[in-house]
Amino acid sequence: MYISRIALNPARLEAKKLLASPACMHSAVEHAFPPSSPRNDSDGRILWRVDMLKESHQVWLYVVSPDKPDFSHVVEQAGWPLHPEWETRDYRPLLDRIAVGQHWAFRLRANPVRRVKKDRGRRENPAVIGKIMGEVTTEQQLKWLSDRAMQYGFSIDRAGDDLQCQVKNRRKERFHHGTGTVTLSTAQFDGNLTVTDAELFRKALTHGIGRAKGFGCGLLTVAPIHAVSAAKDTSE
């Protein structure tokens, strides 16, 4: 497994196109791998996420993949041509270090959804029963992640009664895909976690969390908590 990151230049036309459409970004990521490259196997699948850092005006594309990628086309069309570089690291050393009880800072962009068992609207609509619908409030989205954390091998840390997790960059995304239109409710989760099951947690890191993985959701990344705190102190 490999983890990569590519700096995107949001002022460029092609970058704007990719950032406006998860379907277009999905295609660009897919073309970093030959047709014979595994897309989803026992070791892991191709996952990606775009991080927009408002403070520094930077935009990064993160990709986790079973094979080593070639992002030359992304850099040429949407990056910084005078600096045709990207970072790719072997993900296995970090995966091998995962152990129960570890504390990590994490980031996840996800598509929090539920299968409707009861209509929450003012007027009950039987037509929505059984359908998949997005969780739209901050409280619903945070509960969505908290309720599912154990099945992915972690728990969200708490400070008293409060979960140590912030829900950011909440938005409804609508874009063309094939002959139809896709609508997603997405949110970014930043917080601290504790590993409760090493095997399940490694699978979460390599296979993703939740739905819409092909459209930039599901990639969970971690970092040492002290490193994240130091970065915040430096920027403040």
Side-chain angles (χ1 to χ4, degrees):
M1 293 297 293
Y2 297 89
I3 183 167
S4 308
R5 78 171 184 169
I6 309 96
L8 302 181
N9 182 348
R12 300 188 66 188
L13 184 61
E14 188 64 23
K16 292 179 179 179
K17 177 182 175 182
L18 294 179
L19 294 171
S21 171
C24 292
M25 186 69 81
H26 168 75
S27 178
V29 170
E30 282 287 316
H31 281 89
F33 306 91
S36 59
S37 180
R39 262 57 181 176
N40 189 1
D41 61 15
S42 59
D43 289 332
R45 62 171 293 162
I46 298 173
L47 301 165
W48 62 271
R49 185 185 74 222
V50 172
D51 284 5
M52 298 186 181
L53 309 181
K54 295 180 181 179
E55 298 84 359
S56 56
H57 305 288
Q58 294 178 318
V59 180
W60 292 93
L61 169 63
Y62 286 85
V63 180
V64 164
S65 57
D67 276 358
K68 199 169 185 177
D70 179 356
F71 289 110
S72 300
H73 63 296
V74 177
V75 174
E76 290 172 0
Q77 298 172 18
W80 303 86
L82 296 182
H83 302 278
E85 304 161 354
W86 64 87
E87 300 175 48
T88 295
R89 296 182 180 179
D90 186 352
Y91 210 19
R92 188 57 56 185
L94 182 142
L95 296 174
D96 290 342
R97 294 202 330 262
I98 297 298
V100 172
Q102 289 176 337
H103 297 280
W104 294 95
F106 74 90
R107 172 167 290 175
L108 167 71
R109 182 155 200 85
N111 170 222
V113 297
R114 65 184 176 96
R115 187 176 297 276
V116 179
K117 296 180 179 179
K118 182 179 180 181
D119 183 16
R120 295 175 180 172
R122 293 182 178 179
R123 296 182 180 179
E124 189 171 344
N125 181 7
V128 303
I129 304 301
K131 291 188 175 181
I132 301 296
M133 299 187 69
E135 300 286 23
V136 295
T137 69
T138 299
E139 292 75 16
Q140 290 171 355
Q141 292 171 343
L142 187 56
K143 185 176 185 303
W144 173 89
L145 180 59
S146 179
D147 287 349
R148 288 158 178 76
M150 292 300 290
Q151 74 185 67
Y152 292 106
F154 69 95
S155 62
I156 301 174
D157 293 348
R158 288 182 175 272
D161 294 330
D162 298 326
L163 291 171
Q164 289 189 285
C165 182
Q166 292 182 303
V167 184
K168 303 177 179 179
N169 299 326
R170 301 168 55 248
R171 60 179 183 262
K172 180 169 285 188
E173 302 184 53
R174 185 176 286 107
F175 54 92
H176 295 292
H177 179 58
T179 59
T181 300
V182 177
T183 301
L184 300 175
S185 293
T186 63
Q188 176 182 310
F189 300 89
D190 289 337
N192 296 336
L193 60 77
T194 300
V195 179
T196 58
D197 185 305
E199 184 176 351
L200 288 177
F201 191 65
R202 275 190 289 269
K203 187 172 182 179
L205 292 172
T206 56
H207 289 77
I209 292 177
R211 303 169 70 95
K213 297 183 182 73
F215 297 135
C217 297
L219 174 54
L220 173 70
T221 54
V222 295
I225 291 175
H226 63 81
V228 174
S229 299
K232 288 182 179 179
D233 292 341
T234 301
S235 65
E236 290 175 349

